[in-house]
Structure formats: C-alpha cells, structure tokens
Amino acid sequence: MRTDARALVENCAGWNSRLAARRITAFLDRELADLGLSAAQLGLMAQIAALTDDTLGALAQRSGLEQSTLSRNLRTLEREQLIEITLVETDLRRRAVWLTETGARRLEAAIPVWREAQARLAQVVPTDIVRQLADQSEAL
C-alpha cells in the first residue's frame, strides 16, 4: 500500500495542483500583506474591474467559484468598502458588483506590488505553464 500511496501523491493531478496553488497563494499573500489584501481578494477585485458583465453570476463563472463561495469572499471586500453589491434594476433576482472608488485606488496601488511579486514568481513557475493549466482544465 505504501508504494501505491506514494505513486498517488507523486502523480495525482488534483493533489499536486492544490499543493502548487497553496504554495503560490502563500507566496502572494506574503507579498501583498502590507497592502491589507490577500491574493484571493486581489484576484476578485481584478476580475470585477476587468469584467464587462458586472453580475455576480458572471463573476462566479469567470472566477471558477460557486456563488455561495463567491458571496462569502465578497462579504469581506464589501465590509471594507472596497466593493458594492446591489440589485440589478432590470431583474431584481440578480445582483451586480463593482469596485468603489476606495477599492479602485487599493487595486491600483496593489498592481505594482503584484507585478514585482509576479516577476519573481515567474522565475520559479513560468506564467505560461500556469495559464495553460488553467485554460486546459476548463474542459473538466
């Protein structure tokens, strides 16, 4: 059994991708700590700023999160007044999200820090490999 377990740990795409994600996230969290943002928060804020469809459904799909998980993550940003969530006027069952002015300024201040961290990270884990993994896993 030990041999099979070792093979699983060494070869399992799920285990190894989660391990890599945890290590990369921890690195980025350390780099962003002085800004008061986590890598997850920065990613969500960037997604919000980049999306043309500002609904929570579109954000959940783009970020790969279930809506309940997304809502939990957005609550912190909303409490810190970095984002606003409101009902869509044309369909009161849907909600929209956008950055507040404070959120936009925080994102703008974080981007140079992220770029520097990303450059150092790319020396260890090439960006194109990570993007390729994300793109190809979308088929799952």
Side-chain angles (χ1 to χ4, degrees):
M1 180 164 104
R2 187 178 307 268
T3 302
D4 287 339
R6 187 174 295 119
L8 184 149
V9 170
E10 291 173 1
N11 299 305
C12 179
W15 172 259
N16 286 299
S17 63
R18 290 177 60 84
L19 178 60
R22 285 190 298 271
R23 289 174 175 167
I24 290 169
T25 299
F27 168 77
L28 291 172
D29 284 348
R30 286 190 305 272
E31 296 297 309
L32 296 167
D34 289 344
L35 297 169
L37 291 173
S38 69
Q41 291 170 329
L42 179 66
L44 282 175
M45 290 174 67
Q47 286 285 358
I48 291 166
L51 285 176
T52 55
D53 182 345
D54 61 1
T55 62
L56 289 183
L59 180 59
Q61 183 178 11
R62 178 93 168 131
S63 62
L65 296 172
E66 293 182 11
Q67 283 198 333
S68 61
T69 303
L70 175 63
S71 292
R72 276 194 314 275
N73 290 326
L74 291 177
R75 272 189 230 124
T76 301
L77 295 174
E78 188 176 34
R79 273 193 308 271
E80 294 180 20
Q81 299 180 340
L82 300 175
I83 64 166
E84 274 187 52
I85 301 172
T86 187
L87 294 174
V88 175
E89 288 182 17
T90 57
D91 183 351
L92 298 180
R93 296 170 297 172
R94 296 173 60 198
R95 295 185 299 157
V97 60
W98 60 82
L99 295 178
T100 62
E101 189 172 326
T102 301
R105 283 195 310 267
R106 178 88 63 93
L107 177 59
E108 190 173 41
I111 288 174
V113 175
W114 170 82
R115 278 192 183 120
E116 189 175 310
Q118 186 66 25
R120 288 203 323 275
L121 179 61
Q123 293 174 352
V124 178
V125 181
T127 304
D128 59 331
I129 290 175
V130 178
R131 183 74 247 167
Q132 185 179 11
L133 178 62
D135 289 344
Q136 290 180 350
S137 66
E138 189 174 357
L140 302 173

